[in-house]
Amino acid sequence: MKFLKILVFFIAIQMSAQQGGMWIPSLLQGMNENDMQSLGSKLTAADIYSVNASSLKDAVVHFNGGCTAEVISPEGLLLTNHHCGFGQIQSHSSLENDYLKDGFWASTLADELPNNGLYVEFIVRIEDVTQQVLEGVTETMTDREKQSKIGSNSAKIERETKKEDWQGTKIKAFYKGNQYFLFVTERYDDIRLVGAPPSSIGKFGSDTDNWVWPRHTGDFSLFRIYANKQNQPAKYSKDNVPFKPKHFLPIGIDGISEDDFTMVFGFPGTTDEYLPAIAIAQTVEKINPKTIAIREAALKVIDANMKADDQIRIQYASKQARIANAWKKWIGENLGIKKSGAIAKRKDLESEFTKALETKKLLETYGHILPELERLYNAIEETAVKRRMFIEAFTGTSELMQLMFRLTQVENAAMSSDADFERLRTNVLSAMDGLYKNMNLEVDKGIYLAVMPFYTTNIDASIYEKTAFKTLETGKKLLEGTSKEVLEKLNNDAAYQYAKVFVNDFYNNIEPVFRDINPKINALEQQYMKALMMVLPNQRYFPDANGTLRVTYGKVKGYEPRDAVYYEPITYLDGVMEKYVPGDYEFDVPQKLQELYAKKDYGPYADATGKLPVCFIGTNHTTGGNSGSPAIDAYGNLVGLNFDRVWEGTMSDMYYDPEICRNIMVDVRYVLFIIDKYAGAKHLINEMKLVRNKGKK
Ligand code: ARG
Ligand code: GLU
C-alpha cells in the first residue's frame, strides 16, 4: 500500500514534469530540481547554475542576440546550428569559394574566418531585483508614470551594480512585468568561423522538411571565441588568442535512447503562453493568414530566381531562409491551434479564472480584466493587421522599400538636428554596402510587384527605372551634401516619393492607434498574470520567454501525430538515404556521405546496433532562439543540438500540449561523425572531451 502511494506520487511528479515550461536557471532549487530528478537527472541545481563555482551555464552563450551556442572545448570552440551561422557562412561565400554549397573547414587556427559584427554573450550572474525596480510604483499611477518610474529605478540599479569594467548589465521583465531580473553579462566580439558542413547536410531537406519530423538535417556549424591575452573580451585582432572558458561541455558519445532525460539550456526568444483566447483567435484568424499570403508571394519570386542563378542563390540564401522559416511556422501554428482546440481550452481556463474570482470574492478587483481585454483586442484588430502588413511590405520583403523606409528616418532626423541627421546617414550608408551586395534589382522588383498588391492598389514598377537607388553608386551619391541638399534630392526621387506616402500614413494613422491601445493591453495582461497566479495557485506558471537564459527539460520521446500513426523518436542515416533525390536542391546527398554510408564507415559514432543516429526529439519546451542550444544528458554531457520543433507542435508558443509538442535535436554523434569522417577534421575532435558510460565516476 505504502509502495503504491509512493509510486502514484512518483508518477504524479513525472507527469507534472512533462508539462513544459522554460525556467529561470538561478531558481531551479526545489520544484524544478525535483522534477528533473524524477525524470532521471543526476544533476543538482548548483551543477546547472552557480555563481561561485563553475557550472553548466558557463558553457552556454547567446549567439549574436538571436540563437544559442555552447563551448565544447578548453580552447573556446563553439557549437551552434548551421542556420544560426548561415549569414556568416553566406558572407564568406562566393562563386569561387561556395561554402554554402561545399562547406568550410579551417585546418589551423590561422584559417578560421573573422566575422564583423558577430558576438556572443555569457551570463555571469542573475539577481532578482523586483523590489528595487518596483520601488515607489503605486496603483494610483498612470501606466506611463509607472513605466517611467520603472525605467529610472532600473537605470539606477544598473549604475550601482558591482561588476568588472568589461561586463555589461541588463534588466528584464518576467511574468508580464510582475517580476524583474538583473543579468550581468560578458560579451565577446571576436568570433571566428571554424567549420560548416555543406548545405546538403546542414540544411538537408530545406523548406520541405523544415518544422517537420521525421527529420534528417545535420544542422550544425562551429565557431571559436577569441579573447585578448588576459582572456578578456576584445575587438578583433590578429593577436587575440582562443578563449579559455570557465566550463565546457563534455560530449556524451554513448548518446541517448528513448525515455532518457534531456535538458535544453539556452535563450528562448518570445512566447505568449498566457494570451487570452480572443488574442489567440486574432493571431490565427486575422494576422497569420495575411502574413502567410504575403510571404508566399515573395517566396515564389525568390525561390524561382535562386534556382535559376547561382549568384542569386548565394545572395538570397539568408533572406529566403528568414522569410520561409516564419511563413511555414505560421501555417503549422494555425493547424496546431485548431487541432489542439487551444482556443476552447483557453476559454475554459478563463471561466475557471472567473469562477475562482467569484469564490474568492475578488470579482470587484479583477473581474474587469477579461472583458476589458476582449474590448481592447477588438479595438486594436484592424490596426494590428495593417501594422503587420506594413512591416512585411516595407521592412521584410522588398529591399528597395526597406531602404526607402530607413531614409524617411533620415529625413525625420534632419528635422531634429544636424547631428542626428549625420548619425543616421552614416548608419544607412554602411547598411547599404551589405544590402546591395546581396540584392539583385530585377529580383527585388519582382518581389515588390508580388508583395505590394497585398498592401495597396497603388503599384508603380517605373520607380525601379527612375530611382537613384537602382545602383549603390548613384544611391550613395544622392546622399552626399548638406542635410538640406540631401532632403531635396530625396524628395525628388521616384522611389522615395512613392514610399513616403505609405510611411506617412503609417506614422499618422496606424502607429498612433497602436501606441494608444497596446500599452493598455500590456498593463491589463500584467494584472491578469498576477491575478491568475493568485486565484489559481495550483497551476504551474513559468515566465514567458524573453530572450533570457532558460532551462527546459523532458525526455526523449516519440508521439502520435494522428490516429494510428506513431513517430519514433530517433532517425538514422538510413533515412537520409531514403530521402535522397540526386541533384535535388533540397534532398541531394554528397558523394562522400553516400560512400561512408555504403561502407558503414561510422567510426565510434554508431549506436549499439551499428546504425548512425542523425536526429532525435524530446518533450523539452523550446522556441525560436533555442536554436543551437545544447541538449544535455542526466550527467551534464552534451548529447544533442536543438534546432527545431515538430509540425504538430509549432503552436507551442501560445499553447503547449505535452502530447504532441516536441523539440528536434541533431544527435551529437552525427555532428562528430560529420566532423571526423566526412570532413576529416580530426584535430577538432581531439580538442573535445568525449566521454563514455555517461562519464559516471
Ligand atoms: N525551423 C527552424 C527555426 O525555426 C530551422 C530554420 C532553418 N531552416 C530553414 N529551412 N529555414 O529556426
Ligand atoms: N529553429 C529555431 C530557432 O532558430 C528553433 C526552433 C523553434 O522555434 O523551436 O531558434
Side-chain angles (χ1 to χ4, degrees):
M1 189 59 201
K2 184 143 188 214
F3 172 75
L4 200 70
K5 246 191 187 154
I6 293 174
L7 188 75
V8 168
F9 176 69
F10 187 70
I11 291 173
I13 307 194
Q14 273 226 7
M15 296 282 289
S16 78
Q18 298 282 321
Q19 298 304 302
M22 303 166 169
W23 306 96
I24 303 171
S26 52
L27 302 180
L28 298 175
Q29 242 165 34
M31 178 192 74
N32 294 135
E33 195 180 36
N34 292 342
D35 268 2
M36 285 196 258
Q37 291 175 356
S38 81
L39 294 172
S41 171
K42 306 295 176 208
L43 299 165
T44 64
D47 292 333
I48 298 169
Y49 174 93
S50 167
V51 177
N52 302 315
S54 74
S55 55
L56 292 178
K57 81 136 170 49
D58 297 313
V60 182
V61 295
H62 209 178
F63 184 85
N64 221 16
C67 282
T68 305
E70 50 279 357
V71 187
I72 55 166
S73 92
E75 299 293 310
L77 190 62
L78 272 183
L79 178 66
T80 189
N81 290 141
H82 184 261
H83 79 260
C84 295
F86 204 60
Q88 284 73 33
I89 302 166
Q90 176 189 339
S91 78
H92 294 294
S93 294
S94 59
L95 289 173
E96 301 75 51
N97 291 314
D98 195 342
Y99 301 143
L100 282 173
K101 182 154 171 276
D102 305 325
F104 168 79
W105 304 96
S107 31
T108 67
L109 290 180
D111 299 321
E112 298 179 359
L113 300 172
N115 300 286
N116 199 3
L118 176 62
Y119 67 94
V120 302
E121 204 165 68
F122 287 92
I123 300 303
V124 180
R125 63 176 199 272
I126 306 173
E127 283 169 29
D128 188 336
V129 290
T130 310
Q131 268 195 354
Q132 298 96 298
V133 169
L134 294 180
E135 200 176 290
V137 176
T138 63
E139 284 312 317
T140 54
M141 287 177 158
T142 64
D143 292 333
R144 181 164 299 168
E145 287 164 347
K146 284 185 192 165
Q147 285 315 316
S148 133
K149 187 76 189 147
I150 287 169
S152 62
N153 285 346
S154 301
K156 176 157 177 278
I157 298 165
E158 293 195 62
R159 262 196 321 275
E160 291 172 0
T161 298
K162 281 208 192 63
K163 60 172 187 69
E164 306 292 345
D165 290 342
W166 62 85
Q167 295 176 335
T169 52
K170 58 181 108 180
I171 292 178
K172 291 267 200 165
F174 288 70
Y175 293 106
K176 307 273 181 209
N178 288 294
Q179 221 175 346
Y180 288 84
F181 285 86
L182 166 80
F183 295 81
V184 175
T185 59
E186 217 158 76
R187 167 179 162 144
Y188 287 79
D189 286 286
D190 185 353
I191 311 298
R192 303 188 196 168
L193 177 63
V194 174
S199 292
S200 52
I201 292 172
K203 204 183 164 157
F204 182 73
S206 195
D207 290 327
T208 299
D209 269 12
N210 194 18
W211 300 107
V212 168
W213 184 257
R215 186 68 153 278
H216 299 85
T217 313
D219 194 344
F220 79 94
S221 61
L222 293 164
F223 288 79
R224 190 187 304 282
I225 308 175
Y226 281 75
N228 67 18
K229 301 246 158 56
Q230 288 73 47
N231 206 38
Q232 288 161 2
K235 289 269 159 230
Y236 169 78
S237 158
K238 280 201 312 309
D239 302 328
N240 285 347
V241 293
F243 166 72
K244 302 266 184 285
K246 277 199 243 147
H247 183 69
F248 65 89
L249 297 178
I251 295 177
I253 187 179
D254 295 327
I256 43 80
S257 324
E258 180 151 18
D259 281 327
D260 279 358
F261 168 83
T262 56
M263 65 174 257
V264 171
F265 203 176
F267 291 85
T270 321
T271 59
D272 273 307
E273 309 287 350
Y274 306 98
L275 277 185
I278 173 124
I280 302 183
Q282 186 167 98
T283 302
V284 168
E285 288 156 22
K286 306 291 162 164
I287 296 179
N288 283 352
K290 298 231 169 189
T291 49
I292 291 166
I294 196 168
R295 287 198 175 199
E296 194 155 292
L299 285 168
K300 227 184 233 158
V301 177
I302 298 174
D303 288 346
N305 281 286
M306 283 176 76
K307 274 184 216 165
D309 184 311
D310 269 346
Q311 179 70 33
I312 294 172
R313 172 179 56 77
I314 295 172
Q315 287 178 312
Y316 279 76
S318 285
K319 264 175 287 206
Q320 192 278 349
R322 175 182 58 75
I323 296 171
N325 193 42
W327 160 75
K328 193 163 177 192
K329 185 198 152 177
W330 293 325
I331 298 173
E333 189 169 79
N334 272 13
L335 292 172
I337 292 286
K338 242 192 227 129
K339 178 160 190 262
S340 63
I343 296 175
K345 286 186 180 138
R346 196 58 52 89
K347 282 190 179 145
D348 291 346
L349 174 73
E350 288 166 12
S351 326
E352 215 185 310
F353 171 72
T354 308
K355 248 188 241 127
L357 287 181
E358 255 168 55
T359 332
K360 304 200 169 171
K361 310 248 176 303
L362 286 167
L363 263 182
E364 209 150 304
T365 331
Y366 297 117
H368 67 288
I369 297 178
L370 287 174
E372 189 58 10
L373 274 173
E374 177 141 355
R375 190 185 68 77
L376 289 171
Y377 271 106
N378 281 326
I380 206 172
E381 180 167 295
E382 201 189 322
T383 304
V385 173
K386 265 205 211 140
R387 186 170 179 277
R388 274 307 321 246
M389 292 305 272
F390 177 85
I391 291 171
E392 291 294 323
F394 285 87
T395 72
T397 43
S398 151
E399 286 174 296
L400 184 63
M401 290 305 108
Q402 186 189 326
L403 181 58
M404 294 309 116
F405 178 59
R406 291 192 69 158
L407 288 171
T408 62
Q409 294 168 337
V410 176
E411 175 163 8
N412 288 340
M415 306 294 178
S416 67
S417 80
D418 270 356
D420 282 352
F421 167 77
E422 220 34 86
R423 192 168 45 81
L424 283 203
R425 168 162 65 181
T426 313
N427 286 350
V428 169
L429 282 171
S430 74
M432 280 169 74
D433 290 326
L435 192 100
Y436 282 85
K437 178 177 174 219
N438 291 324
M439 175 169 71
N440 173 301
L441 201 69
E442 276 308 304
V443 177
D444 199 63
K445 184 162 107 186
I447 296 171
Y448 164 85
L449 288 173
V451 155
M452 225 24 98
F454 288 86
Y455 193 73
T456 173
T457 49
N458 173 7
I459 319 284
D460 181 4
S462 79
I463 60 174
Y464 275 80
E465 321 305 326
K466 295 180 193 150
T467 179
F469 294 94
K470 59 183 175 193
T471 71
L472 180 60
E473 294 73 44
T474 50
K476 281 191 164 176
K477 187 115 213 314
L478 187 146
L479 295 176
E480 282 172 10
T482 64
S483 66
K484 190 161 168 278
E485 288 162 357
V486 171
L487 294 198
E488 203 175 304
K489 286 189 275 177
L490 257 184
N491 281 292
N492 282 321
D493 187 85
Y496 191 77
Q497 283 174 349
Y498 173 84
K500 192 172 162 179
V501 176
F502 297 102
V503 176
N504 282 344
D505 176 58
F506 174 72
Y507 282 119
N508 296 333
N509 301 317
I510 301 176
E511 261 320 71
V513 181
F514 189 81
R515 289 203 185 156
D516 173 43
I517 304 177
N518 199 46
K520 294 181 185 150
I521 290 180
N522 291 340
L524 272 173
E525 287 186 344
Q526 178 196 357
Q527 285 188 44
Y528 179 45
M529 184 88 241
K530 183 168 142 193
L532 254 183
M533 292 170 86
M534 185 164 52
V535 303
L536 299 175
N538 294 330
Q539 302 253 354
R540 285 160 60 112
Y541 300 97
F542 58 90
D544 268 322
N546 58 358
T548 62
L549 185 61
R550 302 292 179 90
V551 169
T552 169
Y553 45 82
K555 284 187 166 204
V556 177
K557 238 186 183 16
Y559 70 107
E560 214 181 284
R562 52 189 177 277
D563 188 33
V565 177
Y566 180 75
Y567 282 158
E568 296 290 338
I570 306 174
T571 60
Y572 297 92
L573 191 57
D574 311 68
V576 173
M577 296 310 299
E578 281 172 11
K579 286 179 177 173
Y580 171 41
V581 181
D584 186 68
Y585 78 105
E586 297 193 303
F587 292 102
D588 202 8
V589 175
Q591 181 69 30
K592 177 87 184 275
L593 189 55
Q594 296 179 41
E595 287 164 19
L596 290 165
Y597 175 73
K599 286 189 285 191
K600 303 280 171 283
D601 184 2
Y602 302 153
Y605 309 114
D607 73 2
T609 68
K611 297 209 300 183
L612 183 67
V614 172
C615 294
F616 65 99
I617 51 176
T619 57
N620 310 288
H621 184 180
T622 55
T623 187
N626 270 123
S627 274
S629 300
I632 294 171
D633 72 4
Y635 300 85
N637 305 307
L638 180 75
V639 286
L641 179 63
N642 185 72
F643 73 102
D644 211 355
R645 276 174 285 165
V646 303
W647 189 238
E648 295 75 12
T650 42
M651 78 305 191
S652 68
D653 293 346
M654 291 186 279
Y655 175 72
Y656 182 86
D657 180 348
E659 290 297 315
I660 52 171
C661 289
R662 297 288 180 271
N663 70 314
I664 308 182
M665 296 154 277
V666 196
D667 195 300
V668 78
R669 292 168 289 189
Y670 191 53
V671 172
L672 296 174
F673 163 81
I674 295 293
I675 297 174
D676 181 350
K677 289 290 176 175
Y678 177 82
K682 189 87 183 177
H683 61 287
L684 296 174
I685 305 281
N686 294 340
E687 260 186 58
M688 307 171 194
K689 180 174 165 194
L690 308 190
V691 299
R692 286 245 175 238
N693 289 319
K694 315 281 185 199
K696 275 181 257 181
K697 293 181 191 112

